[in-house]
Amino acid sequence: MNDNTKIVAALLAGLAAGAALGLLFAPEKGVDTREKLNESLKDLGEAIKERSAEQKEQFNDLKEKVVSTIKTKMNRGKAEFEDAIDEHA
């Protein structure tokens, strides 16, 4: 987990906690408070899903770059090895 992800996670958790406390201590009917709290939690869940999808996409991009780099280096090493064999044969 990189620093940006930690910051976003902490921010979302803080927002959820603040919203929950604000709603719980607001002078409204219990039903209204529960509805607002439920809506806030749904919004938080959606934000977390979106951020997770972004992180997954970034991870997949990184994975593709690493695999490509490894394949390139392996092919280069194989070619150099074959050239060395041909020179000594």
Side-chain angles (χ1 to χ4, degrees):
M1 188 181 282
N2 63 28
D3 289 339
N4 289 338
T5 304
K6 290 178 184 177
I7 291 169
V8 170
L11 177 65
L12 291 174
L15 286 173
L21 288 173
L23 290 173
L24 289 174
F25 290 107
E28 294 183 11
K29 292 181 183 179
V31 172
D32 294 337
T33 300
R34 285 190 294 274
E35 285 179 13
K36 286 183 180 182
L37 182 58
N38 195 15
E39 192 64 36
S40 294
L41 291 175
K42 284 181 185 178
D43 291 344
L44 176 63
E46 290 173 11
I48 290 172
K49 285 179 185 178
E50 289 174 10
R51 184 64 180 163
S52 296
E54 291 171 7
Q55 290 294 316
K56 182 178 178 183
E57 186 176 325
Q58 289 177 357
F59 177 77
N60 285 335
D61 291 345
L62 176 63
K63 180 186 76 168
E64 289 176 16
K65 288 178 185 177
V66 168
V67 168
S68 176
T69 300
I70 290 171
K71 285 181 179 179
T72 300
K73 290 185 184 237
M74 288 181 66
N75 288 336
R76 189 178 304 141
K78 180 180 176 185
E80 290 175 5
F81 177 74
E82 289 173 350
D83 288 347
I85 295 290
D86 290 341
E87 287 178 12
H88 291 61

